[in-house]
Amino acid sequence: MQKSKHMTLALLCGMLGCATVTDQVEKIEAFVQKQFGGSIHAVYGCSLGGSLAGMLVERGNIRIAHAILGSSDLDQEEGLPARFKAWLIGRVLHGIMQKGRLPRWMQKRLEQKPPEQQAYMEKMLTMMGLLDGSMAFVKRASIQSQFHSDLITPLGLGIQKEGTTVHCFYAKKMGEEYLRRYNQHFAKPHIVEHDLLHEELLLCRPEQWVQEVCRATKTKS
């Protein structure tokens, strides 16, 4: 895709412990305004990035022809449950990052899964930089902050902007709840369904992922 398109990667602070998600969205808007005159053909966001893509459409400060959510969960939790989940995830992931390997109980559970699920999980862990020690510098508080943001990111209902098509890559194995969320947050989303897990299309079938992105944005691969 890089050979035929001008692509820009928005490197957000995430686990480096920056400010709020809204701050990150404002930085993206300012960059697009400065570099591209306030208009881009497409934006793709996976996981929390999908929530940010939705916020960019909702705010309407830049023009986007196509916004793609890559099997994002669009969690909307509050209070103690969100803080507890973030604390628990931060504690587990920080330990893995420090050692560069899974704890014994987690490795044993992984080995009990079917080969294709093992491959998926290993690619997910590798993408997150958990298995090579490269993320050992990240502080536990930063991990907790990132995941807490993922759980509470605000996103409106029935979002619709003239000139923008929202495409939701729906990973069916995540459950029907996520399909309901897409149809709740966006007025007329284009649902692209795959019988896969969260971000499995990107991780395990990258060539098909490219084709789906190009098909959604009506461009050539």
Side-chain angles (χ1 to χ4, degrees):
M1 294 177 69
Q2 289 177 309
K3 295 180 180 179
S4 59
K5 300 169 184 62
H6 183 87
M7 301 179 65
T8 300
L9 174 63
L11 183 60
L12 305 182
C13 292
M15 291 185 182
L16 300 183
C18 289
T20 67
V21 172
T22 301
D23 291 333
Q24 303 302 310
V25 171
E26 290 175 350
K27 289 180 181 179
I28 295 173
E29 291 171 340
F31 179 84
V32 172
Q33 292 285 1
K34 180 179 180 180
Q35 300 295 328
F36 306 118
S39 178
I40 55 176
H41 182 65
V43 59
Y44 178 94
C46 63
S47 197
L48 176 57
S51 296
L52 269 64
M55 290 177 68
L56 288 169
V57 174
E58 181 181 15
R59 288 161 61 90
N61 294 326
I62 58 176
R63 296 182 299 278
I64 304 171
H66 300 274
I68 306 175
L69 281 69
S71 65
S72 300
D73 48 39
L74 304 184
D75 285 320
Q76 302 276 289
E77 297 194 27
E78 297 180 353
L80 185 59
R83 290 196 295 271
F84 175 74
K85 287 182 181 179
W87 172 83
L88 183 61
I89 292 173
R91 187 176 183 86
V92 172
L93 289 187
H94 185 259
I96 296 173
M97 288 177 176
Q98 292 298 305
K99 297 178 180 178
R101 57 180 172 80
L102 298 178
R104 187 174 302 175
W105 65 269
M106 190 177 290
Q107 182 64 42
K108 187 174 181 179
R109 289 190 62 180
L110 178 61
E111 292 171 353
Q112 293 173 346
K113 294 183 179 295
E116 63 273 14
Q117 289 191 25
Q118 289 187 39
Y120 161 74
M121 289 301 301
E122 288 172 356
K123 288 183 179 181
M124 178 67 76
L125 293 168
T126 299
M127 180 183 72
M128 296 175 67
L130 297 181
L131 301 181
D132 58 5
S134 62
M135 300 294 285
F137 66 92
V138 178
K139 297 180 180 179
R140 185 189 299 176
S142 295
I143 302 173
Q144 292 177 197
S145 175
Q146 194 272 338
F147 277 93
H148 187 255
S149 296
D150 195 5
L151 291 171
I152 66 170
T153 298
L155 190 63
L157 303 177
I159 298 170
Q160 184 176 16
K161 294 294 180 181
E162 184 177 355
T164 300
T165 302
V166 175
H167 312 268
C168 298
F169 287 6
Y170 168 46
K172 190 175 180 180
K173 290 183 179 178
M174 289 175 64
E176 294 185 358
E177 168 64 23
Y178 299 94
L179 178 60
R180 288 193 291 270
R181 291 182 186 181
Y182 298 150
N183 285 302
Q184 182 181 39
H185 287 289
F186 303 101
K188 297 179 180 179
H190 170 220
I191 304 297
V192 183
E193 181 177 313
H194 300 95
D195 191 24
L196 300 172
L197 297 166
H198 177 67
E199 287 302 340
E200 187 176 359
L201 180 66
L202 173 62
L203 290 170
C204 301
R205 305 183 186 184
E207 293 182 359
Q208 183 182 351
W209 176 84
V210 170
Q211 293 173 358
E212 294 287 8
V213 170
C214 291
R215 187 178 296 114
T217 59
K218 300 177 181 179
T219 56
K220 296 180 180 180
S221 60

